[in-house]
Each structure stands twice: as structure tokens, then as C-alpha cells.
Amino acid sequence: MLKIFKRNIKSKYQERLKKSFPKELYSDLNEVFKILPFDNNQVRLRDGQTHKVDNLIHESELNIKFNNENLIIPYRLYFNEPNPELEKSLTDKQKDILNCIYLRHHNGYLREKRLNLISASSENWTVPFIIQLVGEYVYELLPIIDKKINENTLDYYAQFRDENPRYWQQTESRMISYWNAYYRYQFPKLKEYLGFEIMNRIKIQTHKNCYE
């Protein structure tokens, strides 16, 4: 009975994660699933202690559009990291998929680690995972994101903004709220805050593309 339960919960996790990525990535995603520790629900939380977590994927979700596909990305997840040796067996694309999954992790230090690991030549499907971090509270992620949104990738973000106006507005509002609550003393003017500069750069590129 326990094996059946574990198999069902593993299948549930896989189905939820599949909804986070374009269908064209499903074969690579299945390879990533092979190394994810779905069966381990003993998780180290913010208090530094290990706790049993009944559901490794939070119920809250992000709904976005990507190239006319509807994607549903978990807001937070609690998986432990996979065995590093197993990670080495993945292709570069599969590693980026894995890193994107962990950008939704509850641990901010782990999100920072995984963000740094996303390849410089990342593809456009990484955009929803990266841009979500701009609207969150960890400032230390912004300089990393700033480097990843460059002349080679800026159009990806502009296209994503154009396809997701409501989500973009919500993310921008959250970014401003966190600036106001936590970083206004350090950056008295909103335009000096890196999160605002990043989103404004994408907005300018979106308008530029409209007139080309």
C-alpha cells in the first residue's frame, strides 16, 4: 500500500512540474525526473532543522503564457537537491531545466545558487522562471539577473512581457512593494533600484520592437 501511495504522489509531482514547461521539453524533462528526490520528504527548512513535509509542491501557482501555451508553475517547492553525481549525467539543456525547477525552491540561498548555474546561452523557456525572481524579496538575486538579461536574451523577455501583460503588471507591482518595504532607505528613488531598472529595460525593448 505504501509503494502505491509513493508511486501516486511521485506521479502527481511529475504532472505538476510538466505543466511548468513547454511540451517540446517533455523528453528532456523526463530525464530530469529520474534524478529528482521525489520520495524524500525530510526537508531542511528555514530554522535549520529537518522536518517532514507532506506536500513537496505548494498549492499556489503562477499562470503564464509562453508561445501560445498555457504554463502553470508552482510558486514554491521543497525538494531536496539531487545527488551531484547524477546531475553530471544530464545534458546542458537538462541541467537548465533542473536549475529552473529549483528557482521555485523555498530556500533563497538555493535559488541564488541555481540562478548562477543557468547557462549564459539559456533558451527563451527559462524566462518565466527568472523574471519571477525580480518580483520577489531577495535583492541578491537581482545583480545575477541583470547579467542574464543582456543583448542576447533581451528580446526573449520583451516577447514574454508582450504575451503576459497581466502577469507583468502583477510582478512589477510586487517589485515596487518590496522596494518600498525593504529597500527604500538604501535606494530612496525607485529608478535607482535594480529591479526597476531591469523591468524598465525590458519595457523599453518591448516598445522598440513594436516600431521595428
Side-chain angles (χ1 to χ4, degrees), residues 5-89:
F5 173 77
K6 286 186 175 181
R7 185 163 62 247
N8 288 342
I9 195 71
K10 180 178 179 180
S11 177
K12 176 185 174 184
Y13 291 150
Q14 291 178 348
E15 285 305 309
R16 287 199 64 190
L17 291 176
K18 272 190 172 181
K19 294 177 181 178
S20 305
F21 293 91
K23 291 182 176 63
E24 67 183 63
L25 296 178
Y26 280 9
S27 60
D28 288 300
L29 189 56
N30 285 332
E31 294 302 310
V32 174
F33 285 163
K34 293 177 182 178
I35 72 165
L36 283 173
F38 292 117
D39 296 330
N40 184 1
N41 64 352
Q42 297 294 325
V43 179
R44 188 176 182 180
L45 299 181
R46 292 182 181 179
D47 61 5
Q49 302 298 314
T50 299
H51 300 268
K52 181 180 179 181
V53 177
D54 291 329
N55 192 343
L56 295 176
I57 300 182
H58 196 276
E59 292 181 359
S60 299
E61 296 172 329
L62 306 168
N63 293 275
I64 61 106
K65 285 189 176 295
F66 178 82
N67 289 344
N68 295 316
E69 283 189 61
N70 293 316
L71 303 184
I72 304 174
I73 302 174
Y75 186 72
R76 283 286 178 259
L77 52 82
Y78 298 87
F79 301 123
N80 290 312
E81 290 188 276
N83 185 317
E85 290 303 313
L86 295 178
E87 283 195 50
K88 292 179 181 179
S89 68

Side-chain angles (χ1 to χ4, degrees), residues 88-99:
K88 292 179 181 179
S89 68
L90 300 177
T91 66
D92 289 343
K93 177 181 285 188
Q94 291 162 3
K95 288 175 182 176
D96 273 347
I97 292 173
L98 179 70
N99 292 325

Side-chain angles (χ1 to χ4, degrees), residues 31-212:
E31 294 302 310
V32 174
F33 285 163
K34 293 177 182 178
I35 72 165
L36 283 173
F38 292 117
D39 296 330
N40 184 1
N41 64 352
Q42 297 294 325
V43 179
R44 188 176 182 180
L45 299 181
R46 292 182 181 179
D47 61 5
Q49 302 298 314
T50 299
H51 300 268
K52 181 180 179 181
V53 177
D54 291 329
N55 192 343
L56 295 176
I57 300 182
H58 196 276
E59 292 181 359
S60 299
E61 296 172 329
L62 306 168
N63 293 275
I64 61 106
K65 285 189 176 295
F66 178 82
N67 289 344
N68 295 316
E69 283 189 61
N70 293 316
L71 303 184
I72 304 174
I73 302 174
Y75 186 72
R76 283 286 178 259
L77 52 82
Y78 298 87
F79 301 123
N80 290 312
E81 290 188 276
N83 185 317
E85 290 303 313
L86 295 178
E87 283 195 50
K88 292 179 181 179
S89 68
L90 300 177
T91 66
D92 289 343
K93 177 181 285 188
Q94 291 162 3
K95 288 175 182 176
D96 273 347
I97 292 173
L98 179 70
N99 292 325
C100 281
I101 289 173
Y102 280 94
L103 290 188
R104 295 288 82 233
H105 201 269
H106 74 96
N107 187 317
Y109 292 106
L110 203 156
R111 294 201 298 276
E112 182 177 1
K113 169 188 171 181
R114 292 293 173 169
L115 180 61
N116 272 311
L117 289 175
I118 290 179
S119 61
S121 58
S122 61
E123 298 183 52
N124 57 353
W125 48 263
T126 65
V127 169
F129 296 89
I130 295 175
I131 202 64
Q132 172 64 21
L133 299 173
V134 180
E136 297 183 358
Y137 61 91
V138 184
Y139 180 85
E140 288 75 14
L141 301 179
L142 295 180
I144 307 171
I145 295 169
D146 186 45
K147 293 179 181 178
K148 293 189 180 297
I149 303 178
N150 52 51
E151 60 181 13
N152 296 319
T153 63
L154 186 56
D155 278 341
Y156 295 161
Y157 290 86
Q159 181 180 348
F160 177 79
R161 178 184 181 272
D162 190 51
E163 197 171 7
N164 295 274
R166 182 178 179 184
Y167 169 84
W168 182 271
Q169 184 59 52
Q170 292 171 339
T171 304
E172 192 171 44
S173 295
R174 283 195 297 269
M175 176 271 295
I176 294 172
S177 294
Y178 281 122
W179 161 76
N180 186 55
Y182 299 111
Y183 302 109
R184 192 165 189 161
Y185 179 80
Q186 186 177 356
F187 306 99
K189 297 180 180 179
L190 177 59
K191 66 180 181 179
E192 299 172 344
Y193 182 62
L194 186 54
F196 176 83
E197 196 282 325
I198 289 171
M199 299 200 81
N200 193 52
R201 188 193 322 158
I202 297 168
K203 185 184 298 185
I204 291 172
Q205 184 68 16
T206 308
H207 294 323
K208 178 182 176 182
N209 290 346
C210 287
Y211 291 101
E212 288 182 348

